[in-house]
Amino acid sequence: MIPSDHFTRFYNEVFKFLESKGEEVLELYWLAISKNQERHILELIETKGLQGMYEYWSVIDEEENCDMDIIVDDDHLALRMNECPSLSKVQDNDAAPMGRYCDHCAGWIGPIMDKTGYHMVYDVISRTEPRCSMKIFKDEAKAREAEKSAQLLMGWPGREQHRS
């Protein structure tokens, strides 16, 4: 298995290559990642809802040694990545980071949320700082309200962008 330090750098180069082929090619790749990730998270969401999402990202937190905070209640899940290990590893590299490297997270998570009827607000905050915030709501109106405070709101393939 490829070490995570090498994996994120490889991913970065793949994203740059695909982006050079066109936005639609990059989005198709993110959709392929999303479809693959369904094997890991879809049943948790369908059977346990927000609590299933919490379980999934808690494992990621531990496995990837993230500096993140996750809270869940009856209405939403909030994940705050204080220090993203993926972007940090990409930035600690002799090859330049893809300008939109962070977009891949919303690119694969968003379609799953759409499929399961949840409403995601993904705030990258800054594409050069390894931190972000993701909120997932049961209620679409609450998600639209939360979008108003996002610094850099992410879209994803198939999503109608509500705000720039």
PDB file of all heavy atoms in Angstrom, residues 61 67-71 78-82:
ATOM      1  N   ASP A  61     -10.711  10.552  11.417  1.00  0.00           N
ATOM      2  CA  ASP A  61      -9.973  11.403  12.358  1.00  0.00           C
ATOM      3  C   ASP A  61      -8.830  10.621  12.994  1.00  0.00           C
ATOM      4  O   ASP A  61      -7.688  11.070  13.024  1.00  0.00           O
ATOM      5  CB  ASP A  61     -10.936  11.925  13.429  1.00  0.00           C
ATOM      6  CG  ASP A  61     -10.277  12.814  14.465  1.00  0.00           C
ATOM      7  OD1 ASP A  61      -9.184  13.363  14.207  1.00  0.00           O
ATOM      8  OD2 ASP A  61     -10.871  12.980  15.548  1.00  0.00           O
ATOM      9  N   ASP A  67      -6.398  16.841  13.033  1.00  0.00           N
ATOM     10  CA  ASP A  67      -6.724  17.787  14.096  1.00  0.00           C
ATOM     11  C   ASP A  67      -8.086  18.353  13.719  1.00  0.00           C
ATOM     12  O   ASP A  67      -8.178  19.338  12.992  1.00  0.00           O
ATOM     13  CB  ASP A  67      -5.669  18.891  14.177  1.00  0.00           C
ATOM     14  CG  ASP A  67      -6.023  19.962  15.200  1.00  0.00           C
ATOM     15  OD1 ASP A  67      -7.014  19.798  15.941  1.00  0.00           O
ATOM     16  OD2 ASP A  67      -5.314  20.988  15.239  1.00  0.00           O
ATOM     17  N   MET A  68      -9.142  17.653  14.149  1.00  0.00           N
ATOM     18  CA  MET A  68     -10.478  18.104  13.803  1.00  0.00           C
ATOM     19  C   MET A  68     -11.434  17.903  14.965  1.00  0.00           C
ATOM     20  O   MET A  68     -11.195  17.102  15.859  1.00  0.00           O
ATOM     21  CB  MET A  68     -10.998  17.416  12.546  1.00  0.00           C
ATOM     22  CG  MET A  68     -11.432  16.000  12.684  1.00  0.00           C
ATOM     23  SD  MET A  68     -12.243  15.498  11.126  1.00  0.00           S
ATOM     24  CE  MET A  68     -11.956  13.762  11.168  1.00  0.00           C
ATOM     25  N   ASP A  69     -12.488  18.690  14.912  1.00  0.00           N
ATOM     26  CA  ASP A  69     -13.555  18.603  15.903  1.00  0.00           C
ATOM     27  C   ASP A  69     -14.820  18.190  15.172  1.00  0.00           C
ATOM     28  O   ASP A  69     -15.125  18.715  14.104  1.00  0.00           O
ATOM     29  CB  ASP A  69     -13.779  19.973  16.565  1.00  0.00           C
ATOM     30  CG  ASP A  69     -12.519  20.512  17.213  1.00  0.00           C
ATOM     31  OD1 ASP A  69     -11.903  19.778  18.009  1.00  0.00           O
ATOM     32  OD2 ASP A  69     -12.147  21.666  16.921  1.00  0.00           O
ATOM     33  N   ILE A  70     -15.556  17.244  15.760  1.00  0.00           N
ATOM     34  CA  ILE A  70     -16.810  16.785  15.176  1.00  0.00           C
ATOM     35  C   ILE A  70     -17.877  16.823  16.266  1.00  0.00           C
ATOM     36  O   ILE A  70     -17.657  16.303  17.359  1.00  0.00           O
ATOM     37  CB  ILE A  70     -16.736  15.346  14.648  1.00  0.00           C
ATOM     38  CG1 ILE A  70     -15.510  15.110  13.784  1.00  0.00           C
ATOM     39  CG2 ILE A  70     -17.996  14.984  13.887  1.00  0.00           C
ATOM     40  CD1 ILE A  70     -15.295  13.642  13.442  1.00  0.00           C
ATOM     41  N   ILE A  71     -18.995  17.435  15.932  1.00  0.00           N
ATOM     42  CA  ILE A  71     -20.142  17.376  16.841  1.00  0.00           C
ATOM     43  C   ILE A  71     -21.358  16.940  16.028  1.00  0.00           C
ATOM     44  O   ILE A  71     -21.445  17.185  14.833  1.00  0.00           O
ATOM     45  CB  ILE A  71     -20.423  18.725  17.550  1.00  0.00           C
ATOM     46  CG1 ILE A  71     -20.732  19.833  16.544  1.00  0.00           C
ATOM     47  CG2 ILE A  71     -19.279  19.122  18.461  1.00  0.00           C
ATOM     48  CD1 ILE A  71     -21.369  21.056  17.161  1.00  0.00           C
ATOM     49  N   ALA A  78     -21.460  18.811  12.463  1.00  0.00           N
ATOM     50  CA  ALA A  78     -20.498  19.870  12.147  1.00  0.00           C
ATOM     51  C   ALA A  78     -19.096  19.299  12.313  1.00  0.00           C
ATOM     52  O   ALA A  78     -18.766  18.732  13.360  1.00  0.00           O
ATOM     53  CB  ALA A  78     -20.694  21.071  13.061  1.00  0.00           C
ATOM     54  N   LEU A  79     -18.287  19.432  11.272  1.00  0.00           N
ATOM     55  CA  LEU A  79     -16.902  18.970  11.292  1.00  0.00           C
ATOM     56  C   LEU A  79     -16.031  20.182  10.987  1.00  0.00           C
ATOM     57  O   LEU A  79     -16.223  20.853   9.982  1.00  0.00           O
ATOM     58  CB  LEU A  79     -16.709  17.891  10.229  1.00  0.00           C
ATOM     59  CG  LEU A  79     -15.355  17.215  10.157  1.00  0.00           C
ATOM     60  CD1 LEU A  79     -15.517  15.818   9.580  1.00  0.00           C
ATOM     61  CD2 LEU A  79     -14.354  17.993   9.336  1.00  0.00           C
ATOM     62  N   ARG A  80     -15.107  20.429  11.874  1.00  0.00           N
ATOM     63  CA  ARG A  80     -14.162  21.526  11.669  1.00  0.00           C
ATOM     64  C   ARG A  80     -12.768  20.920  11.605  1.00  0.00           C
ATOM     65  O   ARG A  80     -12.280  20.350  12.572  1.00  0.00           O
ATOM     66  CB  ARG A  80     -14.248  22.553  12.787  1.00  0.00           C
ATOM     67  CG  ARG A  80     -13.268  23.692  12.584  1.00  0.00           C
ATOM     68  CD  ARG A  80     -13.664  24.920  13.391  1.00  0.00           C
ATOM     69  NE  ARG A  80     -12.978  26.073  12.883  1.00  0.00           N
ATOM     70  CZ  ARG A  80     -13.362  26.832  11.863  1.00  0.00           C
ATOM     71  NH1 ARG A  80     -14.465  26.558  11.228  1.00  0.00           N
ATOM     72  NH2 ARG A  80     -12.664  27.862  11.471  1.00  0.00           N
ATOM     73  N   MET A  81     -12.152  21.022  10.428  1.00  0.00           N
ATOM     74  CA  MET A  81     -10.786  20.542  10.241  1.00  0.00           C
ATOM     75  C   MET A  81      -9.860  21.692  10.607  1.00  0.00           C
ATOM     76  O   MET A  81      -9.801  22.700   9.902  1.00  0.00           O
ATOM     77  CB  MET A  81     -10.577  20.120   8.780  1.00  0.00           C
ATOM     78  CG  MET A  81      -9.230  19.514   8.509  1.00  0.00           C
ATOM     79  SD  MET A  81      -8.961  17.909   9.256  1.00  0.00           S
ATOM     80  CE  MET A  81     -10.022  16.876   8.264  1.00  0.00           C
ATOM     81  N   ASN A  82      -9.174  21.543  11.725  1.00  0.00           N
ATOM     82  CA  ASN A  82      -8.278  22.586  12.207  1.00  0.00           C
ATOM     83  C   ASN A  82      -6.925  22.561  11.510  1.00  0.00           C
ATOM     84  O   ASN A  82      -6.287  23.597  11.351  1.00  0.00           O
ATOM     85  CB  ASN A  82      -8.094  22.456  13.722  1.00  0.00           C
ATOM     86  CG  ASN A  82      -9.416  22.546  14.451  1.00  0.00           C
ATOM     87  OD1 ASN A  82     -10.168  23.493  14.280  1.00  0.00           O
ATOM     88  ND2 ASN A  82      -9.720  21.539  15.257  1.00  0.00           N
TER      89      ASN A  82
END
